[in-house]
Amino acid sequence: MPFWNKELETLPRQKLEELQFSRLKKVLTRVYQKVPHYRKKFQDTGITPTKLKSLDDIKYFPFTTKEDLFVDYPYGLLTVSPEKVIRLHTSSGTTGKPKAIFFSKKDINNSAELIARCLVMTGATKGDILQNSMTYGLFTGAFVMHYGAEKVGILVIPAGPGNTERQINLMKDFGTTMLHITPSYALYVASVLYDKGIDPKKELKLKRAYLGAEPYSEETRRKIENMLGIDIYNCYGLTEMNGPGVGFECPYKDGLHIWEDNFLMEIINPETGEPLPDGEIGELVLTTLNREAMPLIRYRTRDLTRIISEPCRCGRTHRRISRILGRSDDMFIVKGVNIFPQQIEQVLMGIKGVAQNYQIVLESYDEMVVRVEIDRELFDGKIEKLIKLKEEIIEKIRSATLVKPKVELLEPGTLPVSEGKAKRVIDKRTI
Amino acid sequence: MDKVYIISVFAENKPGRLERITKVLAEANINILAFSITSTNGFGIIKFMVDRCKEAFQLLKEKGFTVSLNETIGIEMKDQPGGLYEVVKILSSKGINIESAAVYVAETRKKAYLIVEVEDTQKAMEALKGENLIFLKPIE
């Protein structure tokens, strides 16, 4: 089992927690002294950093939410002078103002260190060739991965997303061994390879892919793995926490290791804010322990998961989280029922005859329409089979979500192809 | 007795679908001999019998249509009252269920063929051997 930083990655739990405690104490003190917004929040809660006697005491400190990032926007949460920050990244900002996250030089180096751990953990080495098909720009995904891969000595092809023809040529010409890509785009690239009659197993040198930036199901992972003949690693991150590399799968692919020397994780009940014990599903809350420019305390990720505390066979002592079960932001409500797009995806990817692309349209009168492309290869000209397929989809979604959808079967290629984050849910309701 | 082929194209119920498909065939100078549309709530299947079936199938596939090539049996019907009945009677006496059908009129007012898709083409053909039926021969 290869390691990038064996000492830190396998630090005995007690030592790891001591390190977390001393870092936590420091970061709480720093934000209290340097960030008026945090000082006020702490004072409103009646707490000071001196109250922290153990890691558990974090529960007495106030949460930071998305809204807090807008209060003294954009520079208000910095603990260093603005000239010490050298990079800005933002979240997509599809709804209103984007969340601005600043990196100091040390932060950039540190985020790259964490990615280096992730990549080496999956078996990547110097000599690998990474085609980075994430968006370069304000989005953190591409840059953080880029710097981390370079640290390992990996050749990076900064392809960015889109232009699938060129992506394929790059893979062929330069012998790409690894991809960093969104799940929806990976599916699309795989289907284009298939249509062109290119057998990735024979004609490409791909070994593994890192998928992130949008939630996807285990069924989708298996589908892409089979289509491309590679290993896929689930990676988790969010702009507010550097982007990718917060959590990453090891070769056992049984949950994602969170680098606990850098992030303090908690799971809380999203309704009450109460901490939940390991193993229970709730909202992931993260505190940056090693960030210089813009530390965040008890940041509510909105992501639902659970902590897996059983030791991992890979030898790393950092605990894992389960794959993200949903982002409370993605959740939508139809007929009073909470539904995550992944629930629908999981059903669809398990049905034979369904192609990769789908869309959920919420119509007025609270109707859920699931639009599904059929698998061209499985079409046999029999209308009865299509009617059965449609009924199977309706029934399986109904039993998974308790809401009976309307299902539209579409020709492959009808739905818009996503090259960045896929837009799966279209809400046309005016309420 | 030979199998003849029919092409099935998946189509959403949207204006312009049939136009797009027939344009491809027209441009390739492929002649449509028979066709049928089956549609249900939201989507349908358009079936064509053409003079160059396999070529048409490849062409439509390359153009991105969702298409399949299906085996059928073509049986000559007498163009007179009871013509269809005669043929169908034999099929049902053999327990052959018609899944879908089209009619091909070979020479106007002289010959017509009932083109039937059944569950097991081979089995149905075996069953129909020895019956007093005239079958359509594959065109290509």
Side-chain angles (χ1 to χ4, degrees):
Chain A
M1 176 61 62
F3 292 91
W4 173 254
N5 187 337
K6 190 164 185 186
E7 196 202 329
L8 279 174
E9 290 174 56
T10 60
L11 206 60
R13 282 301 307 176
Q14 200 196 327
K15 285 239 163 94
L16 184 55
E17 284 171 18
E18 283 164 19
L19 178 63
Q20 284 188 306
F21 181 76
S22 73
R23 285 182 170 177
L24 180 61
K25 187 113 193 164
K26 262 187 223 158
V27 74
L28 289 174
T29 311
R30 264 220 347 275
V31 298
Y32 187 74
Q33 288 169 350
K34 307 217 167 174
V35 183
H37 180 68
Y38 272 118
R39 185 159 53 241
K40 182 170 182 307
K41 281 189 78 150
F42 285 15
Q43 281 165 352
D44 289 350
T45 319
I47 197 152
T48 58
T50 51
K51 294 265 171 70
L52 188 87
K53 302 289 177 222
S54 75
L55 280 176
D56 260 359
D57 293 341
I58 188 68
K59 62 174 181 264
Y60 302 119
F61 287 80
F63 292 117
T64 303
T65 63
K66 189 168 91 178
E67 287 69 35
D68 286 303
L69 300 187
F70 301 133
V71 175
D72 295 311
Y73 182 85
Y75 293 107
L77 292 181
L78 290 182
T79 57
V80 296
S81 59
E83 53 273 20
K84 259 203 117 171
V85 299
I86 59 164
R87 174 91 63 76
L88 163 70
H89 279 298
T90 71
S91 64
S92 42
T94 35
T95 48
K97 248 188 240 178
K99 286 164 266 178
I101 303 297
F102 297 95
F103 291 68
S104 69
K105 194 162 194 161
K106 191 177 155 231
D107 291 333
I108 287 180
N109 186 48
N110 193 43
S111 64
E113 274 290 318
L114 298 185
I115 289 287
R117 287 188 198 175
C118 298
L119 295 179
V120 170
M121 174 164 71
T122 65
T125 56
K126 201 177 161 77
D128 264 310
I129 298 171
L130 174 76
Q131 189 159 322
N132 197 0
S133 305
M134 291 286 187
T135 308
Y136 279 83
L138 286 167
F139 174 63
T140 48
F143 274 103
V144 171
M145 178 60 80
H146 185 117
Y147 280 57
E150 284 186 350
K151 215 170 238 295
V152 180
I154 289 162
L155 170 63
V156 182
I157 306 174
N163 199 342
T164 309
E165 199 82 19
R166 193 187 62 185
Q167 299 277 358
I168 292 169
N169 287 337
L170 288 169
M171 287 186 223
K172 281 211 270 193
D173 292 355
F174 302 104
T176 302
T177 59
M178 321 199 288
L179 291 175
H180 181 215
I181 193 165
T182 62
S184 54
Y185 192 42
L187 274 169
Y188 180 68
V189 171
S191 70
V192 172
L193 284 167
Y194 192 87
D195 284 349
K196 287 182 172 293
I198 298 170
D199 181 355
K201 290 161 208 162
K202 291 196 185 112
E203 294 171 61
L204 301 177
K205 296 201 169 129
L206 287 179
K207 288 190 280 199
R208 54 185 86 88
Y210 306 108
L211 265 52
E214 56 189 32
Y216 66 112
S217 61
E218 193 56 33
E219 284 72 16
T220 304
R221 183 218 304 255
R222 257 182 255 128
K223 196 160 186 167
I224 308 172
E225 281 189 332
N226 291 335
M227 283 173 97
L228 296 178
I230 57 170
D231 261 326
I232 283 178
Y233 294 93
N234 199 351
C235 67
Y236 171 70
L238 57 165
T239 307
E240 299 87 316
M241 295 289 140
N242 298 350
V246 177
F248 224 86
E249 281 179 331
C250 69
Y252 293 102
K253 295 183 188 172
D254 184 17
L256 298 91
H257 289 278
I258 297 279
W259 300 119
E260 291 190 88
D261 55 332
N262 277 261
F263 302 101
L264 182 73
M265 63 167 159
E266 301 168 73
I267 297 288
I268 61 158
N269 176 330
E271 310 284 333
T272 64
E274 287 299 310
L276 293 172
D278 286 5
E280 278 190 38
I281 293 169
E283 182 181 336
L284 179 66
V285 171
L286 293 170
T287 299
T288 62
L289 295 176
N290 201 21
R291 189 189 255 172
E292 184 177 49
M294 192 173 168
L296 292 178
I297 309 301
R298 295 196 91 197
Y299 185 71
R300 292 189 62 160
T301 64
R302 318 304 302 179
D303 290 325
L304 303 177
T305 182
R306 65 186 177 87
I307 292 177
I308 304 168
S309 50
E310 292 79 37
C312 184
R313 283 174 288 167
C314 76
R316 287 173 184 80
T317 49
H318 300 245
R319 286 176 301 168
R320 290 162 290 159
I321 55 168
S322 74
R323 72 164 46 242
I324 302 298
L325 303 164
R327 202 156 223 169
S328 41
D329 300 357
D330 289 343
M331 193 191 74
F332 55 90
I333 300 174
V334 186
K335 298 187 164 68
V337 179
N338 298 355
I339 300 175
F340 288 101
Q342 298 94 285
Q343 287 177 281
I344 310 269
E345 178 175 312
Q346 200 159 2
V347 169
L348 293 178
M349 293 304 146
I351 295 176
K352 226 175 144 184
V354 169
Q356 295 84 354
N357 225 348
Y358 70 94
Q359 202 174 53
I360 302 160
V361 184
L362 306 174
E363 303 275 7
S364 45
Y365 304 112
D366 231 12
E367 182 142 52
M368 173 165 71
V369 182
V370 179
R371 311 183 73 212
V372 183
E373 290 184 3
I374 64 166
D375 189 334
R376 190 177 286 151
E377 300 306 314
L378 290 178
F379 175 71
D380 66 356
K382 309 237 187 274
I383 199 153
E384 300 79 18
K385 224 170 127 181
L386 291 173
I387 294 169
K388 265 195 203 134
L389 176 68
K390 187 169 156 173
E391 282 165 359
E392 184 186 355
I393 296 170
I394 292 173
E395 181 45 36
K396 287 192 169 156
I397 291 177
R398 195 200 57 77
S399 77
T401 64
L402 305 176
V403 171
K404 188 174 173 181
K406 247 173 87 173
V407 167
E408 285 178 15
L409 298 185
L410 309 175
E411 291 171 56
T414 315
L415 292 172
V417 173
S418 65
E419 293 180 334
K421 287 196 189 206
K423 178 126 182 74
R424 296 296 194 193
V425 183
I426 293 168
D427 198 339
K428 291 183 173 170
R429 297 171 299 186
T430 46
I431 316 134
Chain B
M1 190 192 321
D2 297 291
K3 290 169 196 163
V4 288
Y5 289 93
I6 200 160
I7 294 169
S8 307
V9 190
F10 174 80
E12 292 158 48
N13 288 356
K14 273 196 306 207
R17 305 304 300 151
L18 190 57
E19 183 195 331
R20 271 184 54 207
I21 299 163
T22 48
K23 187 174 177 223
V24 172
L25 300 177
E27 282 174 355
N29 210 18
I30 290 169
N31 196 24
I32 299 169
L33 307 173
F35 100 111
S36 76
I37 296 181
T38 323
S39 83
T40 165
N41 184 18
F43 63 91
I45 292 178
I46 306 169
K47 290 176 185 281
F48 294 97
M49 195 170 89
V50 297
D51 55 355
R52 281 142 47 213
C53 241
K54 284 176 182 163
E55 193 188 327
F57 169 69
Q58 274 309 327
L59 196 61
L60 286 167
K61 204 174 164 179
E62 279 161 29
K63 296 272 180 190
F65 289 95
T66 303
V67 55
S68 76
L69 192 63
N70 297 89
E71 295 174 340
T72 64
I73 305 169
I75 307 165
E76 191 176 312
M77 297 183 284
K78 292 196 181 79
D79 188 13
Q80 64 183 45
L84 175 60
Y85 168 66
E86 289 293 319
V87 175
V88 172
K89 196 171 66 180
I90 296 172
L91 291 177
S92 67
S93 75
K94 301 285 174 188
I96 298 167
N97 185 39
I98 298 174
E99 292 191 343
S100 105
V103 171
Y104 163 43
V105 180
E107 292 163 65
T108 311
R109 302 292 300 158
K110 280 188 190 153
K111 271 184 198 165
Y113 292 90
L114 179 68
I115 312 293
V116 289
E117 271 190 82
V118 299
E119 197 185 323
D120 187 335
T121 314
Q122 196 61 44
K123 210 170 125 195
M125 286 173 102
E126 290 299 322
L128 293 172
K129 254 182 200 167
E131 288 298 327
N132 188 22
L133 290 171
I134 299 167
F135 295 95
L136 177 66
K137 292 205 178 337
I139 294 135
E140 54 176 5

